[in-house]
Amino acid sequence: MKMTYDEYIQNPMGIKNSVISNREMYRSLYVGKLDKILVREVGKVKYFLYKDKNNFYVHMKVPSEVVDRFYYDTVIQFYTDKSELVASRTLNDYYVNFYSNDPSFVFTFAHAFIKNDIFIKDLEPKMSKLAIKKNADIKNPTNQVGYVKSLYFEYLLMKQYGLFNKIQYETNASKY
């Protein structure tokens, strides 16, 4: 399944699946939670940009909502197979793959992301071997891709920091 980041935020199950219910509730909930975290973090979240050919990566240290000074590694890979997008100024129409060590991602959704081919393959060695091999039968018995708070937070932060603009990567990215 290929999707853009906007498509993930609109419906994490993909455009061919039924629209997820309570989308507005999730948006309000996550925006409110992120606002509280940003107050605690004095409005700053660490991120790192990487580039490799026509792929772009954002590695963000997403603060834990509960534990002070504890951060989850969340990585988004932007890629395309459409030659016309290479000249685009933004990453809005690029497809995405995800990685997070957020417990919700690891213990509920990692296997579903891998199964649906929206997991960053290079980072599989960093993921729990159990999460890679086995579906989360109790928390996600249907093995569906769903909202992950750290991925939603990263999306909101990327918008806030202008990280959908390729110029950021051309000037600030390290080699992947």
Side-chain angles (χ1 to χ4, degrees):
M1 154 170 70
K2 291 182 180 181
M3 68 173 66
T4 67
Y5 215 164
D6 284 334
E7 289 170 343
Y8 171 78
I9 295 300
Q10 290 300 312
N11 181 10
M13 295 185 302
I15 57 176
K16 292 182 181 174
N17 288 315
S18 60
V19 176
I20 193 163
S21 59
N22 301 320
R23 181 178 35 219
E24 183 56 32
M25 182 268 313
Y26 280 109
R27 191 197 69 72
S28 296
L29 177 69
Y30 290 155
V31 166
K33 287 178 181 240
L34 181 60
D35 285 347
K36 289 178 185 173
I37 289 171
L38 288 176
V39 167
R40 184 186 76 210
E41 298 289 322
V42 195
K44 296 185 182 191
V45 174
K46 287 184 182 178
Y47 64 87
F48 309 92
L49 305 178
Y50 302 96
K51 184 180 176 213
D52 181 25
K53 297 182 184 174
N54 292 321
N55 296 318
F56 303 89
Y57 300 82
V58 180
H59 171 202
M60 200 167 278
K61 303 296 264 179
V62 176
S64 167
E65 183 182 358
V66 179
V67 182
D68 249 3
R69 291 177 285 188
F70 187 82
Y71 304 90
Y72 296 110
D73 293 301
T74 303
V75 182
I76 311 301
Q77 174 192 28
F78 292 88
Y79 70 96
T80 188
D81 55 8
K82 300 176 183 175
S83 59
E84 69 273 10
L85 288 181
V86 174
S88 172
R89 292 182 179 166
T90 73
L91 298 174
N92 294 333
D93 293 323
Y94 274 61
Y95 299 123
V96 288
N97 287 324
F98 302 94
Y99 168 86
S100 180
N101 63 1
D102 168 353
S104 173
F105 185 85
V106 174
F107 298 113
T108 306
F109 295 110
H111 188 267
F113 276 66
I114 291 167
K115 179 185 142 223
N116 285 285
D117 201 28
I118 55 173
F119 185 88
I120 301 172
K121 288 177 181 49
D122 291 352
L123 297 179
E124 269 190 36
K126 303 252 181 230
M127 182 53 60
S128 157
K129 291 187 186 354
L130 187 60
I132 291 170
K133 293 179 183 174
K134 190 168 175 359
N135 179 32
D137 292 332
I138 295 170
K139 291 194 170 216
N140 188 4
T142 58
N143 208 23
Q144 291 290 319
V145 173
Y147 283 126
V148 177
K149 185 172 35 175
S150 61
L151 299 179
Y152 208 105
F153 284 177
E154 184 156 347
Y155 175 83
L156 294 171
L157 290 164
M158 284 184 65
K159 288 249 183 218
Q160 183 176 332
Y161 295 157
L163 298 179
F164 282 94
N165 296 320
K166 280 188 189 175
I167 191 71
Q168 294 275 13
Y169 300 82
E170 300 300 334
T171 58
N172 300 315
S174 299
K175 184 174 170 49
Y176 179 74

